[in-house]
Amino acid sequence: MRIAIDAMGGDHAPGAVVEGAVAAAKEYKDVELTLVGDKARIEPLLTEQLPNLHIAHASEVIEADDEPVKAVRRKKDASMVVAGRLVKEGAVDAMISAGNTGALMTTGLLIVGRIPGIDRPALAPMIPTLDGVGVLALDLGANMDATPEHLLQYAIMGSIYRSKVHGIERPRVGLLNIGTEAMKGNELTKAAYPLLEEAPIHFVGNIESRDILQAECDVIVCDGFAGNIMLKTLEGTASVIFSALKTEFTRSTLTKLSAAILKPGLAAFKNKFDYTEHGAAPLLGLGGLVLKSHGSSDANAFKNAVRQARTALQNNLVGAIAVEIKNGK
């Protein structure tokens, strides 16, 4: 299995990327990793030579504030674009990047290409849940608007992903809504509901955002606008809670002693909501496997992204989605 990693993408590139790639190369001997980026900056970070870790030089970088379409079209030797081209040409089987999300989606559409029959690829990150299993949510920002047919495709792709990558035999698929009743919501959700009922998935109906962390479903589908608001709200709430707890537990000697006693439990609770353990979010619907890592990913996150890509490749994720969409047509 051959995986390209955009070594120049992310807040901590190329250091964290290289460190994570080295760790993954050591653990997964059946994976060939290619770091794509400025060779002069990458090579000094490689403290040892590994037979399954290589460098593909790319002279340009797409920055976080670059306009996505212009950047992809003009910076043809950017590390992200070169990695996408390697996927398109079949030189690698997958790519990982923590760079500009819009540019990665553009690279996926313009360079890698879509699966026939897929109208819009979707960004599908995992949302942590209290049981530690998580919920796959899509779309969470790749496309702001969606049609009922788009939500249907998201549901099918998400169900296949959870089955193939996470081993869930019959993933429960929910529709993000303001109430659980079938006729609740806006025109989009009302029209999507019957399509999801008839789809070859285990549809469990409408799910309210307050129930997401309770793991009421394994896959939640929504348009990118609502999904991104939900994600940012959850991230902000978690950040405030952890910050407030830290303040309270350092308020006095007594609270500090209490914190010392509760520390193992609090650490375990915090780890459940650690994005680095989930690795990356796939862009489902593309003709090749493309994974988006969090912009502030550390070495552990990149290593886990490789693990995630490896599992998806072992289970032929892209091929399974293509077959299901073709049969559905």
Side-chain angles (χ1 to χ4, degrees):
M1 290 170 283
R2 304 159 301 170
I3 302 170
I5 306 177
D6 173 11
M8 314 310 292
D11 299 341
H12 308 297
V17 187
V18 175
E19 185 182 345
V22 168
K26 287 181 177 179
E27 182 164 341
Y28 307 119
K29 305 295 186 182
D30 56 352
V31 170
E32 290 278 337
L33 297 177
T34 300
L35 288 164
V36 184
D38 186 348
K39 192 173 183 179
R41 293 181 63 188
I42 297 171
E43 277 189 333
L45 300 172
L46 290 171
T47 55
E48 55 187 301
Q49 296 296 318
L50 298 169
N52 59 336
L53 182 59
H54 317 286
I55 300 174
H57 180 67
S59 62
E60 296 178 291
V61 178
I62 292 180
E63 305 293 346
D65 56 354
D66 280 348
E67 198 284 316
V69 176
K70 287 182 180 178
V72 171
R73 285 178 170 165
R74 293 176 181 177
K75 295 184 176 181
K76 298 188 182 299
D77 200 43
S79 53
M80 183 188 293
V81 176
V82 172
R85 206 153 50 232
L86 291 175
V87 175
K88 177 65 175 178
E89 294 169 354
V92 300
D93 306 302
M95 71 168 285
I96 298 165
S97 177
N100 184 312
T101 302
L104 186 61
M105 173 56 90
T106 303
T107 297
L109 289 171
L110 299 183
I111 308 297
V112 179
R114 292 174 295 180
I115 290 173
I118 291 292
D119 297 319
R120 292 183 183 179
L123 182 64
M126 290 292 297
I127 294 179
T129 54
L130 289 175
D131 62 2
V133 178
V135 173
L136 185 77
L138 66 167
D139 176 27
L140 258 61
N143 313 283
M144 289 301 102
D145 300 307
T147 66
E149 290 73 23
H150 293 154
L151 296 189
L152 172 62
Q153 291 184 352
Y154 298 166
I156 292 171
M157 293 191 295
S159 182
I160 293 172
Y161 183 84
R162 295 237 65 179
S163 175
K164 294 287 185 180
V165 176
H166 298 144
I168 299 176
E169 188 173 343
R170 198 163 174 252
R172 300 162 299 159
V173 180
L175 175 64
L176 183 65
N177 212 326
I178 59 171
T180 58
E181 298 87 351
M183 291 311 295
K184 275 287 182 76
N186 56 17
E187 294 304 314
L188 172 62
T189 56
K190 289 177 184 177
Y193 195 99
L195 295 182
L196 297 174
E197 279 188 308
E198 298 170 6
I201 57 173
H202 179 31
F203 180 53
V204 295
N206 291 328
I207 302 290
E208 296 182 57
S209 58
R210 66 183 178 184
D211 296 321
I212 296 295
L213 300 184
Q214 300 287 349
E216 293 292 320
C217 60
D218 303 301
V219 178
I220 188 79
V221 296
C222 52
D223 64 88
F225 184 77
N228 199 262
I229 289 176
M230 175 186 68
L231 177 64
K232 297 295 172 57
T233 301
L234 290 173
E235 287 179 340
T237 302
S239 177
V240 168
I241 289 173
F242 290 130
S243 178
L245 284 173
K246 185 176 181 180
T247 300
E248 290 301 318
F249 281 126
T250 56
R251 192 176 294 278
S252 67
T253 301
L254 183 61
T255 58
K256 288 178 182 177
L257 289 172
S258 300
I261 296 171
L262 294 171
K263 188 176 180 180
L266 291 171
F269 176 71
K270 187 175 182 180
N271 286 339
K272 284 183 180 180
F273 296 90
D274 185 0
Y275 70 87
T276 66
E277 294 300 319
H278 293 289
L283 283 170
L284 298 178
L286 296 175
L289 184 61
V290 177
L291 296 169
K292 171 67 175 75
S293 289
H294 199 286
S296 57
S297 289
D298 60 13
N300 185 54
F302 283 107
K303 179 190 172 185
N304 283 320
V306 172
R307 170 184 52 78
Q308 196 175 348
R310 177 175 176 267
T311 303
L313 291 172
Q314 287 175 328
N315 290 282
N316 189 28
L317 173 65
V318 174
I321 292 175
V323 169
E324 188 67 37
I325 295 299
K326 182 180 180 181
N327 291 340
K329 291 294 183 181

